[in-house]
Amino acid sequence: MKTCKRIEIVIENSMVPRLTALMKQLGLDGYTLIPDVRGSGDRGMRRADELSGESSNCLVLIACDNQVMLDTFLEGVRPLLVRAGGICLVSDAQWLRH
Amino acid sequence: MKTCKRIEIVIENSMVPRLTALMKQLGLDGYTLIPDVRGSGDRGMRRADELSGESSNCLVLIACDNQVMLDTFLEGVRPLLVRAGGICLVSDAQWLRH
Amino acid sequence: MKTCKRIEIVIENSMVPRLTALMKQLGLDGYTLIPDVRGSGDRGMRRADELSGESSNCLVLIACDNQVMLDTFLEGVRPLLVRAGGICLVSDAQWLRH
Amino acid sequence: MSVFMSSLSTPPLLFFFLGAAAVAVRSDLQIPAQIAKFLSLYLLFAIGFKGGVALSESTIDASILLTLLATMVLSAVVPVYTFFLLRRRLPIADAAAIAATYGSVSAVTFVTATGYLDVQGIAWSGYLVAAMALMESPAILVGIVLYNHFATREGNTTVSVSWLQLLRESVSNGSVFLILGSMLIGWITGTEGMRQVEPLVKGLFLGLLCLFLLDMGIVAAQRLRDFQQSGERRLSGETFRVMLVAAVLLPLLNASLGLGIAYLLGLPQGNALLVVVLAASASYIAVPAAMRLALPEANPATYLTMSLAITFPLNLLLGIPAYHAAIRWLL
Amino acid sequence: MSVFMSSLSTPPLLFFFLGAAAVAVRSDLQIPAQIAKFLSLYLLFAIGFKGGVALSESTIDASILLTLLATMVLSAVVPVYTFFLLRRRLPIADAAAIAATYGSVSAVTFVTATGYLDVQGIAWSGYLVAAMALMESPAILVGIVLYNHFATREGNTTVSVSWLQLLRESVSNGSVFLILGSMLIGWITGTEGMRQVEPLVKGLFLGLLCLFLLDMGIVAAQRLRDFQQSGERRLSGETFRVMLVAAVLLPLLNASLGLGIAYLLGLPQGNALLVVVLAASASYIAVPAAMRLALPEANPATYLTMSLAITFPLNLLLGIPAYHAAIRWLL
Amino acid sequence: MSVFMSSLSTPPLLFFFLGAAAVAVRSDLQIPAQIAKFLSLYLLFAIGFKGGVALSESTIDASILLTLLATMVLSAVVPVYTFFLLRRRLPIADAAAIAATYGSVSAVTFVTATGYLDVQGIAWSGYLVAAMALMESPAILVGIVLYNHFATREGNTTVSVSWLQLLRESVSNGSVFLILGSMLIGWITGTEGMRQVEPLVKGLFLGLLCLFLLDMGIVAAQRLRDFQQSGERRLSGETFRVMLVAAVLLPLLNASLGLGIAYLLGLPQGNALLVVVLAASASYIAVPAAMRLALPEANPATYLTMSLAITFPLNLLLGIPAYHAAIRWLL
Ligand SMILES: Nc1ncnc2c1ncn2[C@@H]1O[C@H](COP(=O)(O)O)[C@@H](O)[C@H]1O
Ligand SMILES: Nc1ncnc2c1ncn2[C@@H]1O[C@H](COP(=O)(O)O)[C@@H](O)[C@H]1O
Ligand SMILES: Nc1ncnc2c1ncn2[C@@H]1O[C@H](COP(=O)(O)O)[C@@H](O)[C@H]1O
Ligand code: NA
Ligand code: NA
Ligand code: NA
């Protein structure tokens, strides 16, 4: 087991390509996406039932054990969230190495 | 970054409207729903494949930085879980403010 | 509230039956499955759009308050991840008893 | 016998068997959840529209209203005796839920019966679709009334239900709403409307029914297996027996009541069969969904397994031809 | 009046009402998300293919090219005056997003209009499908140009867009791409190709349109309700009024421009109606999606609610027959 | 040449191109996952049912059984030489997985070939659907036997497989089960059964094939791009070359064996083409799924990319007409 950070981001589906592009650029190539997630927040309801997909969210889960990489990543995430809304949570976890 | 509580609830799809109603009432208007989740627990399997949707669950994720609000919310959640089953986990997290 | 461990596993859909079989065998009959999850890792992209389902993942969430059971479970999970890829995270949480 | 065989060897029923067989051989065959949901919506839409158009072509007279009334009364009476038959043998909440389940109807059983009649070239009237829609809800109310009354008597926690809300919930139930709505639209637009949507509503009907029953076969068989596997731990052998017996006998009992009504109303063969099928069938969509909300104390492993995994296949495979034979013999 | 009634009492529109009614009575009726998405893809595929085949059967002459040009110009002009009408009354980002939304078109409104014409037996030309596809994107570019120009002037943060990327994004938008692609394939394979896919492309068209509009009714009504509930907290009553008025008047204004173009080009009745409908309709798929990416400052609660929950039903239910009446009176 | 063009300019193939083009221009066009899954289930259901009905109308004689046997043997032999051709050039697990993949068949390639024959009005026999179903699994077993034998020799970890379980898994594979099941039902219900489901099984066939191939085009192109982007990091240029060459030559080699069998059995033109296509095609559903379970050491980026992104389009676009030309020239 190895301690790591567990990052959870909820953001609009349409913003995900930018997020993954950012990760790729930083060499963060491990992530999991849960698409078509619904929710409610400062910008109202998102029912994940609209044709444009405009109103569905994606939950992004990232395990990262490189603090430096993590910080630069979070710096890049903030502006996205400011413009398009969403949340980002960071918590501690143990990573089962294999 | 701001410390907050991270609440995870797994409950039947059909109970979610009551849960969101409760949140709205408490002014907890930030949450994310992952619908059509499968699982197994004390009440047996839930394959999320049944027509009634009776047997699919929803995972509710809530980030909350207001301890008082949180406690009243959990008080309201317990009876729902007692009657309809499911689980509720609470953990610590850092909230990336924007 | 009761402290417990929160296990998160991301593994290929096709491996899930083996995982649940393992849990059943250990008497771990409480778990939640989020199927058809996408992602990227050491083994490249998994778009969750392929016909075989070969390339979609499943996120498995397990709350467990029995340390011994947990350890034997993790021992059984490791070989699965080694052969088929994926990740396993363990973190602390509070379990709302009902 | 031949009628049994001929009715069993239609594609829709054979695909139901295929679904069950897939589970038996542990095949990973599965219909995606949203597709299954859509297929069930399609069936409600199609049968509703058909019924409405048929209605627009006939005239609504007293005998029709009488039939609608009779079937509604039936769906309110069934839960009562069902409840009293079971309350001593099962937890009171389960007894009430089962009562509601068997008072209500199974749309797919009805739809399959109409397909059975169409294939055999026997006429049936569109207003019976309305009968089906009207029979969905009353049983729910009766079931909850019964529970509240006896739960208090026996000191269980009762359900605090606002009747208004409950009534709203049951008519606004997605399935009921779609049937009634499609029926209304079919009735308004009539033959001209049918001309526009015929390829979807009539052309694909039996084909999509095959795919839906394939899924039903899978779901029913899985539920039966889950029940066997996990059931033991939770339910006593006694409960098992009660459930099995009830799931087999209740349809027969209700069918004979339906038969009586059809006889008294002097319904033609086709309509008689549909009324009997409505009486004999048990709900596995509208009612279980309502019960989870109004009566979560009841264990779905009992009422849903009974209606979905035992009564549904029974009606589908043996019931329909058997009831038909009885009708021809009696009427 | 009769034309209104006759156009309202077709299955597709009635199912739109039904969807809205479901939300009104708080029914849990819902079309699974992936099914709704598929139905919209199907409509684009079918209308594109039809249009392409029709095109392959006619000859492309100057008048056709002129019409295409005129409609594209229209979709670039509409956003300009829309923006100037709104910029003083709404945040500049919202004004730009609304301008783009109303300059672009609603495929489903167009599709419904073609269905309306088919049912009435009025001819229309396949190349108008190309017009629709070509009108999707220009408005997006214009909207962003306007925003950038005035945002800087008023010291807002501007959008740093690479024009090339934006152009790419707009033609490679899934919906636009599918229409154009299906149209091309229909044009290449012509009558023989149609023979192969006719049951899907023509047979099921109106039936599946019913199911899609059922979903649209649900989605539109839900959005309206969410807007009322959550809107108050966020938007001033003034904004409300502006939105409502704009969502009602803009379509009329744009429709009359379309009418003028149809008149000048001397289009036959069917084509005239489609051009007017294209002018009057507002996008709720391609543009909102593009705006979220290029102009996230703009609040979807304003432009999406206007186009989806007000303008779309208005065009669908009253607009089409009204425009048709106007055309017959004028041309 | 004309035959190439004529076969390429049918809607289904053009929609495959369209899907690939969508990825090329980075369009966000996508078919929802559950819809894609359903379309593939539909194709298996339809082709199976058709085949069964055709079978019920013909008589099963020795020559049919001989063909079934020959094709099964073929699907067991192909993996053997494929494995020996590759084992020195690729990791042994990958070699085994590729061997299994090319021994098995691609249902969609087969289905497209039947569509090609139907459009050209060339007859083919229903029992070849059975041949396809029977060719799905043997290759899997052979592949694993080979791996185990040589992995031990070279000291790799071997797979501990219970043969029984493996056999069960391969016949109970969802796709195989659905084809065989639908075929059985088509065979039982015969012409009467077909009458009931014809609009779905025959009417929509080519239309839905278009939509499915649209998705296949997207998926294949995406996989190719992912492979190029991420592949470099992981695979050597040498491996690249081997994969490319093998993915192009194996189908030709296998096709010529199929051609030989067709010749020896003296099959009519239509059946001959289908046997050749079965031989030439590689699995991208049943086998990869089985390999992930039985042989996870093998890297899907190699065998799945080869079959899905190279061999599949090759057979679809050039193979079918080329094989047809060869057959007409030879037979
Ligand atoms: N406090 C919260 N807890 C969980 N999810 C949230 C929270 N706030 C926002 N979200 C998610 O983020 C999305 C966008 O949030 P917002 O930008 O605040 O509207 C919402 O639709 C939710 O899915
Ligand atoms: N220990 C657990 N870990 C994760 N999920 C659980 C656990 N127990 C129950 N669940 C979820 O909660 C649902 C209802 O649980 P239950 O009421 O215990 O049957 C199950 O279907 C699971 O999805
Ligand atoms: N660092 C990570 N954070 C989150 N998810 C991951 C991570 N690494 C791998 N995954 C998930 O695990 C799957 C298989 O990982 P791998 O075996 O590394 O390709 C990926 O498709 C992701 O969904
Ligand atoms: Na009943
Ligand atoms: Na417009
Ligand atoms: Na092959």
Side-chain angles (χ1 to χ4, degrees):
Chain A
M1 306 283 266
K2 188 162 176 330
T3 60
C4 70
K5 289 292 181 184
R6 187 181 166 288
I7 305 139
E8 247 166 342
I9 299 173
V10 178
I11 194 167
E12 226 163 283
N13 272 336
S14 47
M15 286 292 165
V16 170
R18 300 193 180 179
L19 202 63
T20 49
L22 175 65
M23 288 191 268
K24 191 165 192 176
Q25 179 189 324
L26 298 179
L28 256 175
D29 61 4
Y31 56 85
T32 296
L33 304 174
I34 308 178
D36 300 328
V37 158
R38 295 157 46 200
S40 153
D42 308 341
R43 287 167 184 69
M45 293 286 277
R46 294 194 184 164
R47 298 186 169 278
D49 64 0
E50 246 142 74
L51 310 157
S52 58
E54 171 270 336
S55 79
S56 43
N57 292 321
C58 180
L59 194 152
V60 185
L61 174 67
I62 306 162
C64 176
D65 52 10
N66 176 332
Q67 189 62 44
V68 184
M69 215 180 239
L70 177 63
D71 295 337
T72 39
F73 175 61
L74 292 180
E75 272 328 297
V77 169
R78 185 178 273 110
L80 277 181
L81 296 180
V82 171
R83 285 191 85 201
I87 62 164
C88 174
L89 302 177
V90 180
S91 54
D92 300 314
Q94 296 288 89
W95 193 335
L96 180 74
R97 275 277 167 248
H98 57 268
Chain B
M1 306 281 267
K2 189 164 176 328
T3 61
C4 70
K5 289 292 181 185
R6 186 182 166 289
I7 305 141
E8 247 167 344
I9 299 173
V10 178
I11 195 167
E12 227 163 283
N13 272 337
S14 46
M15 286 293 164
V16 170
R18 301 194 179 178
L19 202 63
T20 50
L22 175 65
M23 288 191 267
K24 191 164 192 174
Q25 178 189 325
L26 297 179
L28 255 175
D29 60 5
Y31 56 85
T32 296
L33 304 175
I34 307 178
D36 300 328
V37 159
R38 295 157 48 201
S40 153
D42 308 343
R43 287 167 182 70
M45 292 286 278
R46 293 191 184 166
R47 298 187 169 278
D49 65 359
E50 246 142 76
L51 311 156
S52 58
E54 170 270 337
S55 78
S56 42
N57 292 321
C58 181
L59 194 152
V60 185
L61 174 66
I62 306 163
C64 176
D65 53 10
N66 176 332
Q67 189 62 45
V68 184
M69 215 180 238
L70 177 62
D71 295 337
T72 40
F73 175 61
L74 292 180
E75 271 328 298
V77 169
R78 184 179 273 108
L80 277 180
L81 296 180
V82 170
R83 287 190 84 200
I87 62 163
C88 174
L89 302 177
V90 181
S91 54
D92 299 313
Q94 297 287 89
W95 193 334
L96 180 74
R97 276 277 168 248
H98 57 268
Chain C
M1 305 283 268
K2 189 162 175 329
T3 60
C4 70
K5 289 291 182 185
R6 183 180 169 290
I7 305 139
E8 246 167 342
I9 299 173
V10 178
I11 195 168
E12 226 162 285
N13 272 337
S14 47
M15 286 292 165
V16 170
R18 302 194 179 176
L19 202 64
T20 49
L22 175 65
M23 288 191 267
K24 192 165 192 174
Q25 179 189 323
L26 298 178
L28 256 175
D29 61 5
Y31 56 85
T32 296
L33 304 174
I34 307 178
D36 301 328
V37 158
R38 294 157 49 201
S40 154
D42 308 342
R43 287 166 183 70
M45 291 287 277
R46 294 194 184 162
R47 299 187 168 278
D49 64 0
E50 244 143 76
L51 310 155
S52 59
E54 172 270 335
S55 79
S56 43
N57 291 321
C58 181
L59 193 152
V60 185
L61 174 67
I62 306 162
C64 176
D65 53 11
N66 177 332
Q67 189 61 44
V68 184
M69 214 181 241
L70 176 64
D71 295 338
T72 40
F73 175 61
L74 292 179
E75 272 327 298
V77 169
R78 184 178 274 108
L80 277 181
L81 296 180
V82 171
R83 287 191 83 200
I87 63 163
C88 173
L89 303 177
V90 180
S91 53
D92 299 313
Q94 298 290 359
W95 194 334
L96 180 74
R97 276 275 168 249
H98 58 268
Chain D
M1 198 54 216
S2 71
V3 62
F4 275 82
M5 278 306 105
S6 74
S7 79
L8 286 183
S9 66
T10 56
L13 294 195
L14 290 173
F15 274 99
F16 181 83
F17 278 116
L18 190 64
V23 176
V25 303
R26 288 187 163 14
S27 165
D28 60 355
L29 179 62
Q30 263 192 337
I31 309 290
Q34 295 196 12
I35 300 294
K37 182 92 183 108
F38 176 66
L39 288 174
S40 79
L41 291 176
Y42 163 80
L43 291 176
L44 301 173
F45 155 77
I47 196 71
F49 199 90
K50 269 190 198 169
V53 173
L55 212 53
S56 74
E57 289 160 346
S58 66
T59 57
I60 302 177
D61 56 18
S63 76
I64 291 186
L65 298 176
L66 199 63
T67 314
L68 294 182
L69 188 69
T71 49
M72 271 188 84
V73 170
L74 178 64
S75 71
V77 171
V78 168
V80 178
Y81 63 74
T82 308
F83 178 76
F84 286 107
L85 287 172
L86 297 174
R87 60 177 285 219
R88 292 261 158 273
R89 300 176 175 75
L90 293 173
I92 195 149
D94 294 349
I98 295 173
T101 306
Y102 281 81
S104 182
V105 299
S106 149
V108 178
T109 314
F110 179 85
V111 160
T112 312
T114 61
Y116 169 88
L117 291 172
D118 292 344
V119 169
Q120 304 226 342
I122 301 171
W124 55 277
S125 312
Y127 71 84
L128 285 169
V129 177
M132 170 180 71
L134 294 173
M135 286 177 77
E136 291 261 12
S137 312
I140 298 172
L141 305 180
V142 177
I144 291 167
V145 175
L146 287 165
Y147 176 77
N148 275 354
H149 184 67
F150 290 91
T152 34
R153 278 245 244 96
E154 307 184 358
N156 300 29
T157 62
T158 65
V159 193
S160 59
V161 277
S162 92
W163 290 107
L164 219 122
Q165 185 201 354
L166 211 64
L167 203 68
R168 203 181 48 56
E169 276 186 356
S170 52
V171 295
S172 73
N173 164 283
S175 313
V176 180
F177 189 86
L178 183 55
I179 302 173
L180 290 175
S182 307
M183 201 168 161
L184 184 67
I185 293 175
W187 183 67
I188 295 173
T189 59
T191 327
E192 164 56 21
M194 179 53 94
R195 209 181 47 61
Q196 295 178 30
V197 300
E198 192 150 25
L200 179 64
V201 165
K202 285 190 177 168
L204 299 186
F205 192 72
L206 288 173
L208 292 178
L209 181 60
C210 288
L211 294 176
F212 184 70
L213 286 178
L214 175 66
D215 182 64
M216 290 292 292
I218 296 171
V219 171
Q222 272 175 339
R223 174 156 279 271
L224 203 56
R225 202 180 56 197
D226 291 349
F227 182 75
Q228 289 163 344
Q229 289 178 357
S230 65
E232 283 85 352
R233 280 188 272 125
R234 300 189 180 76
L235 302 171
S236 72
E238 166 59 12
T239 316
F240 267 119
R241 245 168 282 106
V242 176
M243 284 173 59
L244 193 65
V245 173
V248 173
L249 294 189
L250 281 174
L252 296 181
L253 178 53
N254 301 343
S256 41
L257 256 85
L259 197 58
I261 289 178
Y263 180 76
L264 295 175
L265 293 170
L267 296 177
Q269 207 184 114
N271 296 355
L273 179 60
L274 293 182
V275 166
V276 173
V277 164
L278 286 174
S281 70
S283 169
Y284 47 79
I285 301 187
V287 177
M291 285 299 131
R292 287 307 295 160
L293 286 171
L295 209 59
E297 292 80 2
N299 179 359
T302 59
Y303 57 90
L304 197 54
T305 306
M306 284 172 64
S307 70
L308 182 65
I310 306 176
T311 302
F312 174 69
L314 215 64
N315 277 322
L316 211 61
L317 306 178
L318 307 179
I320 295 175
Y323 306 145
H324 189 198
I327 286 166
R328 274 184 306 197
W329 174 79
L330 188 83
L331 308 182
Chain E
M1 197 56 215
S2 70
V3 60
F4 276 82
M5 278 306 106
S6 74
S7 79
L8 286 184
S9 65
T10 56
L13 294 196
L14 290 173
F15 274 99
F16 181 84
F17 279 117
L18 190 65
V23 176
V25 303
R26 289 186 163 13
S27 164
D28 60 356
L29 178 62
Q30 263 192 338
I31 309 289
Q34 294 197 12
I35 300 294
K37 182 92 185 110
F38 177 66
L39 288 174
S40 80
L41 291 176
Y42 163 80
L43 291 176
L44 300 174
F45 154 78
I47 196 70
F49 199 90
K50 270 191 199 170
V53 172
L55 212 52
S56 75
E57 289 160 346
S58 67
T59 57
I60 303 178
D61 55 17
S63 76
I64 290 186
L65 298 177
L66 200 62
T67 314
L68 294 183
L69 187 68
T71 49
M72 270 189 83
V73 170
L74 179 63
S75 72
V77 171
V78 168
V80 178
Y81 62 74
T82 308
F83 178 76
F84 286 108
L85 286 172
L86 297 174
R87 60 176 286 217
R88 294 260 158 276
R89 300 177 176 75
L90 293 174
I92 195 150
D94 294 350
I98 295 172
T101 305
Y102 281 81
S104 182
V105 299
S106 149
V108 178
T109 315
F110 179 85
V111 160
T112 312
T114 62
Y116 169 88
L117 291 172
D118 292 343
V119 170
Q120 304 226 343
I122 301 171
W124 55 277
S125 312
Y127 70 85
L128 286 169
V129 176
M132 170 180 70
L134 294 174
M135 286 177 77
E136 290 261 12
S137 311
I140 298 172
L141 304 180
V142 177
I144 291 167
V145 174
L146 287 165
Y147 175 76
N148 275 353
H149 184 67
F150 291 90
T152 33
R153 280 243 244 96
E154 307 183 358
N156 299 31
T157 61
T158 64
V159 192
S160 60
V161 278
S162 92
W163 290 107
L164 219 123
Q165 185 201 353
L166 210 65
L167 203 68
R168 207 184 42 58
E169 276 185 356
S170 52
V171 295
S172 73
N173 164 283
S175 313
V176 179
F177 189 86
L178 184 55
I179 302 173
L180 289 175
S182 308
M183 202 168 160
L184 184 67
I185 294 176
W187 183 68
I188 294 173
T189 58
T191 327
E192 164 57 21
M194 180 53 94
R195 210 182 47 63
Q196 295 178 31
V197 300
E198 192 151 24
L200 179 63
V201 165
K202 285 189 178 169
L204 299 186
F205 192 72
L206 288 173
L208 291 179
L209 181 59
C210 289
L211 294 176
F212 183 71
L213 286 178
L214 174 66
D215 182 63
M216 290 293 293
I218 295 172
V219 171
Q222 272 175 340
R223 174 156 279 272
L224 204 56
R225 202 180 56 197
D226 291 348
F227 181 75
Q228 288 163 344
Q229 290 178 357
S230 65
E232 283 86 351
R233 280 189 271 126
R234 299 188 182 74
L235 302 172
S236 71
E238 168 58 11
T239 315
F240 267 120
R241 244 167 284 108
V242 176
M243 285 174 59
L244 193 66
V245 173
V248 173
L249 294 189
L250 281 174
L252 296 181
L253 178 54
N254 301 344
S256 41
L257 255 84
L259 197 57
I261 289 178
Y263 180 76
L264 294 176
L265 293 170
L267 297 177
Q269 209 184 113
N271 296 355
L273 178 60
L274 293 182
V275 166
V276 172
V277 164
L278 286 175
S281 70
S283 168
Y284 47 79
I285 300 187
V287 176
M291 285 299 130
R292 287 306 296 162
L293 286 171
L295 210 59
E297 292 80 2
N299 179 359
T302 59
Y303 57 90
L304 198 53
T305 307
M306 284 171 65
S307 70
L308 182 65
I310 306 176
T311 303
F312 175 69
L314 215 64
N315 277 322
L316 210 61
L317 306 178
L318 307 178
I320 294 176
Y323 305 146
H324 189 198
I327 286 166
R328 274 183 307 196
W329 174 78
L330 188 83
L331 306 182
Chain F
M1 196 55 215
S2 70
V3 60
F4 276 81
M5 277 307 106
S6 73
S7 79
L8 286 183
S9 65
T10 56
L13 294 196
L14 290 173
F15 274 99
F16 181 83
F17 278 117
L18 190 63
V23 176
V25 303
R26 289 187 162 14
S27 165
D28 60 355
L29 178 61
Q30 263 192 338
I31 308 289
Q34 294 197 13
I35 300 294
K37 182 93 185 109
F38 176 66
L39 289 174
S40 81
L41 291 176
Y42 163 80
L43 291 176
L44 300 173
F45 154 78
I47 196 71
F49 199 91
K50 269 190 199 171
V53 172
L55 212 52
S56 75
E57 289 161 347
S58 68
T59 58
I60 302 177
D61 57 17
S63 76
I64 290 186
L65 298 176
L66 199 62
T67 314
L68 295 183
L69 188 68
T71 49
M72 270 188 83
V73 170
L74 179 64
S75 72
V77 171
V78 168
V80 178
Y81 62 74
T82 308
F83 179 76
F84 286 108
L85 285 172
L86 297 174
R87 59 177 286 218
R88 293 261 158 274
R89 300 177 175 75
L90 293 173
I92 195 150
D94 293 350
I98 296 171
T101 306
Y102 281 81
S104 182
V105 299
S106 149
V108 179
T109 315
F110 179 85
V111 160
T112 312
T114 61
Y116 169 88
L117 291 171
D118 292 344
V119 169
Q120 304 225 343
I122 301 171
W124 55 278
S125 312
Y127 70 84
L128 286 169
V129 177
M132 170 179 72
L134 294 174
M135 288 176 75
E136 290 261 12
S137 311
I140 298 172
L141 305 180
V142 176
I144 290 166
V145 175
L146 287 165
Y147 175 76
N148 275 353
H149 185 67
F150 290 91
T152 33
R153 280 245 245 98
E154 307 184 359
N156 299 30
T157 62
T158 65
V159 193
S160 59
V161 277
S162 91
W163 291 107
L164 218 121
Q165 184 201 354
L166 211 64
L167 204 68
R168 203 181 47 56
E169 277 185 355
S170 52
V171 294
S172 73
N173 165 284
S175 313
V176 180
F177 189 87
L178 183 55
I179 301 173
L180 290 175
S182 308
M183 202 169 161
L184 184 67
I185 294 176
W187 182 69
I188 295 174
T189 58
T191 327
E192 164 56 20
M194 179 53 93
R195 210 181 47 62
Q196 295 178 30
V197 300
E198 193 151 24
L200 179 64
V201 165
K202 286 190 176 167
L204 299 186
F205 192 71
L206 288 173
L208 291 178
L209 181 59
C210 289
L211 294 176
F212 184 71
L213 286 178
L214 175 66
D215 183 62
M216 289 293 293
I218 296 172
V219 171
Q222 273 175 340
R223 173 156 280 271
L224 204 56
R225 203 180 55 196
D226 290 349
F227 182 75
Q228 289 163 344
Q229 290 178 358
S230 65
E232 283 84 352
R233 280 189 272 126
R234 301 188 180 75
L235 301 171
S236 72
E238 167 59 11
T239 315
F240 267 119
R241 244 166 283 106
V242 175
M243 285 173 59
L244 193 65
V245 172
V248 173
L249 294 188
L250 282 174
L252 296 180
L253 178 54
N254 301 343
S256 41
L257 255 85
L259 197 57
I261 290 178
Y263 180 76
L264 294 176
L265 293 171
L267 297 177
Q269 207 184 114
N271 296 356
L273 179 60
L274 293 181
V275 166
V276 173
V277 164
L278 286 174
S281 71
S283 169
Y284 46 80
I285 301 186
V287 177
M291 286 299 130
R292 286 308 295 161
L293 286 171
L295 209 59
E297 292 81 1
N299 179 359
T302 59
Y303 58 88
L304 197 54
T305 307
M306 284 172 64
S307 70
L308 181 65
I310 306 176
T311 302
F312 175 69
L314 215 63
N315 277 321
L316 210 62
L317 306 179
L318 307 178
I320 294 176
Y323 306 146
H324 189 197
I327 286 166
R328 274 184 307 196
W329 172 79
L330 189 82
L331 308 182

